[in-house]
Amino acid sequence: MKRIITLTVLNQSGVLNRITGLFTKRHYNIESITVGHTETAGISRITFVVHVADEKETEQLTKQLNKQIDVLKVTDITNQSIVQRELALIRVVSPPSSRTEINGVIEPFRASVVDVAKDSVVIQVTGESSKIEALIELLKPYGIKEVARTGTTAFARGTQQKPASIKTISIV
């Protein structure tokens, strides 16, 4: 069962290593990880897409994550209404004769060409994972040379946000 779990953590050396080590010990398959600064200095948000067997395992995982010293908040947002995005860069074989056709393929996806070379183009697309997968499938007949994806980042929609219950830690 695929779960989307977000963590708010102190932005310190070794935090990500300790958290991913916990996943490794428990044999959870991490599909993607995104990490970035938040609106608060010294605090980062980590979004994991992870495969777990059932709700009981999910509950156990969130409890173990909450015990980590630099973790401020853990939220399983899988069953909430969420805003979810991923970014992909796709390098496609593209002689000048096929570029108009490729532009026609990517336009409905609101994707854009961000680099043009003699024999290829780089396409940028953002959206849910399923949208990116669909575009990749449509571009395969042209010849995909390379794909780079960021992984999913997400949070609950505004109507579902709960007041933050972050444990207080003194930062010295």
Side-chain angles (χ1 to χ4, degrees):
M1 171 165 66
K2 187 165 91 170
R3 308 299 296 184
I4 300 173
I5 299 173
T6 62
L7 285 74
T8 306
V9 301
L10 295 178
N11 187 4
Q12 296 183 6
S13 177
V15 172
L16 185 59
N17 186 45
R18 285 190 295 278
I19 292 169
T20 56
L22 187 146
F23 282 81
T24 301
K25 281 187 229 173
R26 299 288 179 191
H27 303 286
Y28 295 125
N29 182 36
I30 300 171
E31 186 174 300
S32 75
I33 304 172
T34 58
V35 182
H37 300 287
T38 66
E39 67 285 355
T40 307
I43 306 293
S44 292
R45 178 182 319 278
I46 304 173
T47 304
F48 286 99
V49 178
V50 63
H51 290 273
V52 294
D54 54 30
E55 292 290 332
K56 186 177 178 183
E57 259 191 18
T58 303
E59 185 179 329
Q60 183 67 28
L61 176 61
T62 57
K63 285 179 181 177
Q64 290 171 350
L65 288 168
N66 270 310
K67 290 180 184 177
Q68 297 294 308
I69 196 162
D70 295 316
V71 173
L72 304 176
K73 183 179 178 185
V74 178
T75 310
D76 178 3
I77 62 172
T78 308
N79 296 324
Q80 298 180 24
S81 178
I82 60 175
V83 177
Q84 170 185 343
R85 293 291 180 266
E86 181 178 343
L87 172 110
L89 297 175
I90 309 162
R91 186 181 313 275
V92 179
V93 175
S94 175
S97 60
S98 68
R99 291 190 181 153
T100 303
E101 189 176 335
I102 289 173
N103 280 329
V105 170
I106 69 171
E107 192 258 333
F109 290 85
R110 294 187 181 157
S112 58
V113 174
V114 293
D115 185 55
V116 178
K118 188 171 113 178
D119 63 343
S120 67
V121 293
V122 175
I123 297 162
Q124 172 185 288
V125 61
T126 59
E128 293 188 8
S129 296
S130 58
K131 173 184 174 181
I132 292 169
E133 291 293 335
L135 180 57
I136 288 170
E137 284 301 313
L138 288 174
L139 291 172
K140 278 183 179 177
Y142 296 96
I144 294 177
K145 286 183 159 184
E146 192 174 7
V147 175
R149 296 174 73 161
T150 61
T152 299
T153 191
F155 49 64
R157 292 190 177 274
T159 57
Q160 295 186 83
Q161 291 176 332
K162 298 176 185 173
S165 58
I166 296 176
K167 53 186 171 181
T168 306
I169 297 176
S170 299
I171 302 174
V172 181

